[in-house]
Amino acid sequence: MSDQPKRAPFSKRALAAFGVTLGFLTMLVSGVVLTIGPSGRIARETSWQFIGLDRGTWEAIHLGAALWFSLAAVWHLVLHIPIYRNLLGGTRVHPYGNRTEMVLVLGIVVLLIATAILDLPPTSWLVDLNSYFKREFWLA
């Protein structure tokens, strides 16, 4: 008999959880770099790089991470359909489920989309911050 600890079997749920988490973190970092980095023209003219990667590479990382995150999120949703069904439809213990939380999150998402369309805070603040770094910070 071996005293070695047993390795856990491959887990589709762990794959989904780590996939969503690491995809999100990669998008977060690349998104911050792209937000504070110079615009494409300025980045090309100045040969701008951050930790040895140019803007085009950061954009590719961001897009690749977004694709991976999206696939992992869909996989996570598929694996957890029964949980979502209970959250929305309720159970014997909680017959009304968590519809209030769903409506709250849906409202937040709709509000953020509306602020983007109508150019209102807080989304407009992010756009302004991005413009500041792209146009004023890098040209100063």
Side-chain angles (χ1 to χ4, degrees), residues 36-50 53-55 133-134 137-140:
I36 64 172
S39 67
R41 181 182 58 80
I42 295 169
R44 280 188 304 278
E45 289 173 359
T46 62
S47 299
W48 177 84
Q49 292 188 347
F50 180 71
L53 304 174
D54 66 11
R55 182 171 182 87
F133 277 105
K134 282 188 174 23
F137 181 82
W138 293 106
L139 291 177

Side-chain angles (χ1 to χ4, degrees), residues 2 10 24 37 78 82 86 110 117 137 139:
S2 173
F10 186 83
F24 166 75
V78 167
N86 287 342
V110 168
I117 292 169
F137 181 82
L139 291 177

Side-chain angles (χ1 to χ4, degrees), residues 4-124:
Q4 297 270 341
K6 239 181 154 180
R7 184 180 172 103
F10 186 83
S11 168
K12 295 174 187 175
R13 289 181 185 265
L15 178 67
F18 291 133
V20 168
T21 302
L22 295 177
F24 166 75
L25 291 174
T26 304
M27 281 193 316
L28 178 66
V29 170
S30 60
V32 168
V33 170
L34 292 171
T35 297
I36 64 172
S39 67
R41 181 182 58 80
I42 295 169
R44 280 188 304 278
E45 289 173 359
T46 62
S47 299
W48 177 84
Q49 292 188 347
F50 180 71
I51 64 170
L53 304 174
D54 66 11
R55 182 171 182 87
T57 304
W58 279 107
E59 289 171 351
I61 290 169
H62 193 69
L63 288 172
L67 175 63
W68 170 250
F69 176 79
S70 298
L71 293 172
V74 168
W75 181 243
H76 187 274
L77 175 64
V78 167
L79 287 175
H80 294 91
I81 285 175
I83 294 169
Y84 284 102
R85 195 175 296 132
N86 287 342
L87 288 172
L88 290 172
T91 63
R92 285 186 184 160
V93 177
H94 301 290
Y96 296 107
N98 296 86
R99 294 180 198 139
T100 303
E101 292 86 344
M102 175 60 182
V103 170
L104 176 64
V105 171
L106 181 61
I108 291 168
V109 170
V110 168
L111 183 64
L112 287 174
I113 291 170
T115 62
I117 292 169
L118 300 171
D119 193 30
L120 296 172
T123 309
S124 65

